Amino acid sequence: IIDQKRSKVFTYDQQGNLLFAFGDAGNQKGSIAAIKSVCYQGDNMILLDSDSGSFTVYRRTEYGNILIKALENQNTGNYDAEVDDWTEILKRNNNFDVAYNGIAAAKYRDKDYEGAMQYYKDASNAEGYSKAFKEVRKDWMSKYFWVVPVVIIAAIVAIAKFAGFASKKNKAIALKVGQKNIKEELLYAFHVIVHPFDGFWDLKHEKRGSVASATFWLAMVILAFIYQSFGTGYIVKGATTTSVAGGAFAQAMGILLPLLLFVTANWCLTTLFDGEGSFKDVYIATCYAAAPLSFLIFLSTIVSNFVSSSETGFVSLISGVAWVWFALLLFFGIMVVHDYSISKNILTFLGTVVGMCLIMFIVILFSGLLMKMTGFISNISTELSFRI
């Protein structure tokens, strides 16, 4: 393709992948003011400059020759030679996705699916990676087909046993007189998430939870999202890359700051509208409401490593259930804590959102003012140091 505006020539393969580009407008030797037409003479490309009427001959480089040879071998089915050519290309340009895709496709045809997965990943080709992953998963299932039902049945039995144990233990703890220990407070979360009305009532009035146990569940949610940031399967995550340290900090702040902002805004608003909950009560209820997020986000992250591109809806479904569950628990928890009706609680939630926006605006405004004051003081200090 000739770009007459920028005097460049772009070359593509049959799939529309850019192979190379060259040319530039100018008056120096090798530059062309305005490309009029192009023709070939063997491996040479001849360009006509419409302004001067002169011809400029471009000879293909060794890199270009290997690239064209690789495409020829690909089109003629000479796959072994194609892989050798693509390997030579990567030695000269290891950022060339077409070469990675070419090698991956050759390995896929040779049924080296794990090798194909690696090269598709290097090419940031999630679809190709998914195609090879399906074959790897199919081979594994044919060998260990009995593992999946055993794991599912064992997980269901374990969950049922734990649910029975937690229910029995929570009923026994309800009759206990005196302060509950941290283990009993943590176990009570499994009652709250399935019985929100009496659960949040006892959480506040019977002191079944504390700031320490609430903070534990908040930490579990943060850890679940940190794990999600680096543990999500490549097919679901795609080509995005985040450093573990940077991703962990961003995920922690992404959970902690909005939660504290919500608790602060809700408490400030409800104190003006006859809310019965204290800042501590709102914080504990919010953290306990977030407990399902820690389980289901962790589960969705694990599942993401075993699905193909056509099955990522399962991961989205689990995450969606987690967020809906959290939203419902948070709504009913705040309603019980403040002893509100449903209509009043809805209005309070809307006011809380407005309050969160107002707090963020004030913080941003104050931060900008503080930065200007710091810069002003710094400029004065610098000026005085020059004059003294």
Side-chain angles (χ1 to χ4, degrees), residues 170 173 176 179-188:
N170 281 320
I173 295 170
K176 179 181 176 181
Q179 184 68 32
K180 310 297 187 295
N181 59 46
I182 186 68
K183 181 180 178 182
E184 294 168 341
E185 292 174 348
L186 293 175
L187 193 62
Y188 189 65

Side-chain angles (χ1 to χ4, degrees), residues 26-287:
N27 298 319
Q28 294 182 347
K29 184 178 180 180
S31 299
I32 300 178
I35 301 176
K36 178 64 176 178
S37 61
V38 58
C39 64
Y40 288 93
Q41 184 184 42
D43 291 339
N44 297 333
M45 182 180 290
I46 304 174
L47 302 181
L48 172 62
D49 189 336
S50 60
D51 285 359
S52 63
S54 62
F55 291 94
T56 302
V57 179
Y58 287 87
R59 181 177 293 109
R60 201 162 56 211
T61 62
E62 178 192 28
Y63 174 86
N65 288 331
I66 298 174
L67 182 54
I68 297 301
K69 191 65 177 176
L71 293 173
E72 289 178 356
N73 289 325
Q74 183 183 69
N75 294 332
T76 57
N78 190 3
Y79 300 125
D80 291 337
E82 175 198 353
V83 171
D84 293 338
D85 291 334
W86 289 131
T87 303
E88 290 298 319
I89 288 294
L90 291 177
K91 289 178 181 179
R92 294 160 173 80
N93 179 11
N94 61 2
N95 292 317
F96 194 49
D97 289 343
V98 175
Y100 287 113
N101 280 316
I103 297 176
K107 287 185 175 294
Y108 184 87
R109 284 188 294 266
D110 290 339
K111 297 184 178 182
D112 181 7
Y113 301 121
E114 292 185 357
M117 286 171 59
Q118 183 57 52
Y119 277 97
Y120 277 130
K121 187 175 182 179
D122 292 336
S124 301
N125 187 342
E127 286 297 323
Y129 183 94
S130 175
K131 183 176 67 173
F133 172 76
K134 282 184 178 181
E135 297 297 332
V136 172
R137 189 177 63 179
K138 186 190 297 182
D139 291 342
W140 187 91
M141 289 291 292
S142 64
K143 296 177 182 177
Y144 307 101
F145 65 92
W146 53 270
V147 173
V148 176
V150 169
V151 170
I152 292 175
I153 294 172
I156 293 173
V157 171
I159 292 172
K161 289 285 187 181
F162 180 79
F165 165 78
S167 177
K168 183 179 179 181
K169 196 71 174 176
N170 281 320
K171 289 179 180 178
I173 295 170
L175 304 175
K176 179 181 176 181
V177 179
Q179 184 68 32
K180 310 297 187 295
N181 59 46
I182 186 68
K183 181 180 178 182
E184 294 168 341
E185 292 174 348
L186 293 175
L187 193 62
Y188 189 65
F190 297 97
H191 177 78
V192 172
I193 62 178
V194 292
H195 301 91
F197 290 103
D198 64 314
F200 284 111
W201 177 268
D202 290 345
L203 195 66
K204 176 186 175 183
H205 295 90
E206 300 297 330
K207 307 300 180 185
R208 297 294 298 271
S210 64
V211 173
S213 59
T215 303
F216 171 84
W217 286 115
L218 175 58
M220 291 297 294
V221 173
I222 292 174
L223 289 175
F225 278 95
I226 290 175
Y227 173 60
Q228 185 188 54
S229 68
F230 66 85
T232 302
Y234 175 76
I235 294 174
V236 175
K237 184 170 59 175
T240 56
T241 55
T242 306
S243 63
V244 175
F249 180 78
Q251 291 292 338
M253 291 299 101
I255 297 298
L256 184 61
L257 293 181
L259 185 139
L260 293 179
L261 187 61
F262 171 83
V263 172
T264 303
N266 185 266
W267 173 72
C268 291
L269 183 67
T270 53
T271 54
L272 303 176
F273 293 93
D274 303 323
E276 297 183 1
S278 63
F279 184 91
K280 174 183 174 182
D281 294 331
V282 177
Y283 174 76
I284 292 174
T286 303
C287 292

